[in-house]
Amino acid sequence: MTEPDALFDDDALEAARILFARKAEFMMGAVAMDGLPAPDLPEVAFAGRSNVGKSSLINALVGHKHLARASNAPGRTREVNFFVLDERLRLVDLPGYGWARAARSEVKKFQNLGRDYLRGRPNLKRAYLLIDARHGLKEVDGEPMDAFDRAAVSYQIVLTKADKLRPAAVEAVRQQTEAAIAKRPAAFPRVLATSSETGAGMPELRAEIAAACAVAP
């Protein structure tokens, strides 16, 4: 795997671009652990607050506008959704946390499903915790980071909606976030800033995923 403080070279970025240009499709949504697909492919999972833009980021990664369903109603993702890329790896959309338009008992049910997935998935290579660049880390984000640390699941923070800020402000948030996670045992030390609208940061995120899963085109 690439060292934490290393940048990906042009060859790695191009290899990742080719990989993510391959066929990507929705595989299934699971509402319980016994409904998950067999752990026969490497997986990376995406978690974040309900309105952070997980679906938009997944779509931007694979260059497919409608692969993952985005919604104007935060909290819509109430399953663990699996997308398969080139029959080589899976992208997993976890239920959002934070406020959601659902009964409290139902919210707890689908949020617990996400935590159960993190604890019990042997082929999970890394989780990506999405944070809105405009707001940075909030108190509510501590709970999933604690869950990652307890489960010893490697996770990397990805800032979303970076196009909404000036570059200097984005860099400041990125550095602040890296400092905030420095002592967390399961946190990958590099924080990426991305924009699903402009594509900024997507080549690097694709390369991170390819390296974490040890796959190449």
Side-chain angles (χ1 to χ4, degrees):
M1 184 181 296
T2 303
E3 292 299 322
D5 59 351
L7 296 176
F8 291 102
D9 61 23
D10 290 342
D11 289 342
L13 293 174
E14 177 62 9
R17 185 196 66 79
I18 292 171
L19 174 65
F20 277 82
R22 301 276 174 87
K23 183 179 180 181
E25 58 186 344
F26 175 73
M27 180 182 182
M28 63 172 292
V31 297
M33 287 294 289
D34 58 7
L36 301 184
D40 53 356
L41 289 177
E43 293 173 356
V44 294
F46 298 89
R49 277 176 267 165
S50 300
N51 56 350
V52 76
K54 286 192 286 99
S55 296
S56 296
L57 182 132
I58 291 171
N59 289 338
L61 278 172
V62 300
H64 191 318
K65 292 183 179 180
H66 305 294
L67 180 67
R69 292 192 305 167
S71 174
N72 291 325
R76 182 175 179 177
T77 302
R78 298 174 189 178
E79 301 175 329
V80 175
N81 289 317
F82 292 82
F83 306 90
V84 62
L85 175 64
D86 194 36
E87 301 298 332
R88 308 285 298 282
L89 64 90
R90 297 191 190 110
L91 310 176
V92 184
D93 186 4
L94 298 178
Y97 61 91
W99 70 278
R101 293 177 180 174
R104 184 172 299 178
S105 60
E106 185 178 356
V107 171
K108 185 175 181 180
K109 177 181 178 181
F110 66 76
Q111 290 179 347
N112 284 342
L113 174 60
R115 284 190 280 269
D116 289 343
Y117 168 85
L118 293 171
R119 287 195 296 264
R121 197 64 172 166
N123 55 325
L124 176 62
K125 301 304 181 182
R126 184 175 296 165
Y128 292 90
L129 179 60
L130 276 52
I131 301 294
D132 191 322
R134 298 172 297 180
H135 308 306
L137 286 173
K138 297 295 185 183
E139 184 176 353
V140 69
D141 301 313
E143 183 177 352
M145 289 193 289
D146 290 344
F148 293 140
D149 289 337
R150 285 193 298 268
V153 172
S154 172
Y155 65 98
Q156 184 170 10
I157 290 183
V158 176
L159 301 177
T160 63
K161 307 181 184 182
D163 59 294
K164 306 300 183 185
L165 296 175
R166 294 182 181 274
V170 173
E171 180 60 17
V173 174
R174 195 190 66 77
Q175 291 184 14
Q176 290 165 5
T177 305
E178 285 187 346
I181 64 171
K183 294 184 179 180
R184 285 191 169 268
F188 194 75
R190 182 165 53 234
V191 172
L192 295 179
T194 68
S195 168
S196 299
E197 291 293 325
T198 68
M202 292 299 165
E204 291 78 14
L205 181 53
R206 294 184 188 110
E208 293 279 15
I209 294 171
C213 294
V215 295

